[in-house]
């Protein structure tokens, strides 16, 4: 989701322009070594797939959607890369994070990382 807003104000003869841009929704993610169960979404998930289980499926994010995910912050070191993952399941155990990624997906955006180490992310469709 890309959102841009601009506002120009004239005050006392001067012009000021304010501009903001949102590159994605903020969230958190981690990976586990757990094998993913059969997908509730009926999306095929071959080994090595770049996939995500999402805490809240609904009207905004649905089964089969592709999400562009980027690590933000400094801990662990982010790679300054993004990864596109396919939403394959609802994650009923993701109460403390936005999504669970495969190890293959998370290693593209953050390195090194350990099991269940939470990273801050931005994501968008």
């Amino acid at each position: 989701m890309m959102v841009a807003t601009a506002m120009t104000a004239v005050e006392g003869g001067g012009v000021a322009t304010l501009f903001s841009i949102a590159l994605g929704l903020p969230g958190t993610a981690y990976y586990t070594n757990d094998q993913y169960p059969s997908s509730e979404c009926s999306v095929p998930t071959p080994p090595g797939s770049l996939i995500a289980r999402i805490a809240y499926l609904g009207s905004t994010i649905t089964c089969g959607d592709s999400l562009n995910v980027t690590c933000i912050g400094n801990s662990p070191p982010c790679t300054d890369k993004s990864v596109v993952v396919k939403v394959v399941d609802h994650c009923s155990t993701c109460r403390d994070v936005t999504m669970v990624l495969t190890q293959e997906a998370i290693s593209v955006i953050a390195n090194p990382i350990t099991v269940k180490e939470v990273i801050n992310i931005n994501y968008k469709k």
Side-chain angles (χ1 to χ4, degrees), residues 2-123:
M2 185 78 98
V3 177
T5 56
M7 180 176 72
T8 302
V10 179
E11 185 176 321
V15 176
T17 301
L18 304 173
F19 185 80
S20 68
I21 187 164
L23 298 176
L25 299 171
T28 54
Y30 65 77
Y31 85 92
T32 69
N33 285 331
D34 299 339
Q35 294 298 317
Y36 283 28
S38 299
S39 170
E40 286 183 22
C41 301
S42 300
V43 176
T45 57
S49 296
L50 301 176
I51 59 177
R53 295 185 302 164
I54 302 296
Y56 302 103
L57 287 175
S59 60
T60 311
I61 298 174
T62 59
C63 292
D65 283 349
S66 292
L67 300 176
N68 185 308
V69 181
T70 306
C71 176
I72 57 172
N74 295 321
S75 181
C78 296
T79 63
D80 295 326
K81 296 179 184 176
S82 294
V83 66
V84 176
V85 296
K86 184 168 293 273
V87 175
V88 298
D89 209 351
H90 169 255
C91 181
S92 59
T93 60
C94 294
R95 304 232 187 273
D96 297 330
V97 294
T98 308
M99 65 183 72
V100 175
L101 302 172
T102 57
Q103 183 177 4
E104 294 84 359
I106 209 162
S107 65
V108 172
I109 61 174
N111 199 15
I113 189 164
T114 58
V115 174
K116 291 198 175 184
E117 181 177 355
V118 176
I119 63 169
N120 294 312
I121 59 169
N122 280 338
Y123 64 99

